[in-house]
Amino acid sequence: MDKRILVVDDEEDIVRMLRDYFQMLGYQVGCAYGGREALDKLKSPWDLVLLDINMPDLDGLTLCRRVRDYISCPILFLTARVEEEDTVRGLLVGGDDYIAKPFSLDELGARVSAHLRREERSRATNQVRFEADLSINYSAKTVDVEGATVPLAKKEYEIVEFLSMNAGQVFDKERIYERLWGWDGQGDSAVVAEHIRRIRAKLQAAGAQNHIQTVWGLGYKWVR
């Protein structure tokens, strides 16, 4: 297995435990013992990042917010925080999953495997959709307006991909959340509305029309 995982945590015992566990499963594992060290490590490509939130030099939420527009791989938060508000914050800054400490290694391993399989499936899609004012490259995972790439975060792009590949169909927030965050996501479907607000703002700033239409009382759909 050639998948590369970066483990970021200021607790050395946890880093060593996760390194040994995922190496045993056949992954290549990199380690960072703080947010600032992780910034340097993230200059290299990774297939998935395990990121602690509570770090003294640069916390995980801030780190994720700073790098999310530049890296597309799944980011899974590891944290002792269990408040719903913290969970939603983690998802809003671009996290893909939220795993509370203490956790089961087998459960963590299963979630990592599920996220990597989901990435493989989406990468297998190799086509480009052309609208009048923008293009969506499903293999490169980019949205371009007049030749310029719109800086969408990972989950923002995934919402565009999901809705545009099912153009005309209406999906409520709960269905979108379940599709993109998974059944075991620990956030709230309200996070979908915030992501769509950001998508619309970014597309408008780039000069594109609003392709995500609100169907009041029902949800959202992609319009051409």
Side-chain angles (χ1 to χ4, degrees):
M1 185 181 296
D2 58 356
K3 296 298 183 184
R4 287 166 46 85
I5 297 176
L6 178 63
V7 178
V8 184
D9 199 307
D10 62 321
E11 297 185 54
E12 295 186 12
D13 289 345
I14 289 180
V15 173
R16 284 195 296 268
M17 177 184 67
L18 295 178
R19 179 198 62 200
D20 293 346
Y21 175 74
F22 284 106
Q23 284 181 342
M24 180 185 67
L25 295 180
Y27 295 96
Q28 297 181 41
V29 183
C31 302
Y33 297 93
R36 298 196 182 280
E37 182 181 358
L39 277 176
D40 186 60
K41 293 286 180 69
L42 286 167
K43 294 175 183 177
S44 301
W46 300 94
D47 294 295
L48 184 140
V49 178
L50 295 173
L51 177 59
D52 182 40
I53 285 186
N54 298 316
M55 295 183 291
D57 60 340
L58 182 66
D59 69 86
L61 293 175
T62 302
L63 174 63
C64 184
R65 187 182 300 111
R66 289 180 60 177
V67 305
R68 187 31 113 187
D69 285 344
Y70 307 99
I71 64 171
S72 61
C73 72
I75 295 177
L76 280 61
F77 284 119
L78 305 174
T79 179
R81 296 183 181 180
V82 293
E83 295 296 327
E84 180 179 340
E85 179 181 350
D86 293 320
T87 304
V88 172
R89 286 179 60 205
L91 296 174
L92 281 175
V93 298
D96 296 280
D97 207 345
Y98 206 97
I99 301 168
K101 298 177 181 178
F103 48 78
S104 158
L105 281 176
D106 288 339
E107 179 188 355
L108 177 59
R111 290 204 194 186
V112 165
S113 179
H115 280 283
L116 291 173
R117 286 197 305 270
R118 190 175 301 155
E119 286 291 296
E120 287 295 325
R121 287 196 298 269
S122 61
R123 286 174 186 167
T125 305
N126 185 17
Q127 67 181 95
V128 178
R129 177 184 294 275
F130 294 99
E131 307 288 4
D133 55 342
L134 59 80
S135 61
I136 306 169
N137 188 323
Y138 295 119
S139 54
K141 296 186 179 299
T142 57
V143 176
D144 294 323
V145 176
E146 296 183 353
T149 299
V150 181
L152 296 177
K154 176 180 168 58
K155 276 293 182 284
E156 292 168 358
Y157 168 78
E158 289 181 353
I159 290 173
V160 170
E161 180 182 86
F162 175 63
L163 293 178
S164 65
M165 292 184 73
N166 297 279
Q169 297 184 48
V170 179
F171 297 93
D172 61 26
K173 290 185 293 185
E174 289 72 21
R175 177 69 181 91
I176 296 171
Y177 183 84
E178 290 167 4
R179 173 65 177 78
L180 300 182
W181 276 269
W183 286 98
D184 57 354
Q186 298 182 34
D188 187 284
S189 61
V191 75
V192 173
E194 174 62 19
H195 277 71
I196 288 177
R197 183 191 68 78
R198 295 184 184 186
I199 293 167
R200 287 169 169 167
K202 290 181 180 181
L203 291 179
Q204 181 181 29
Q209 61 180 295
N210 175 30
H211 287 274
I212 301 179
Q213 183 179 94
T214 300
V215 182
W216 296 108
L218 296 176
Y220 302 98
K221 70 177 181 179
W222 184 268
V223 292
R224 307 199 67 173

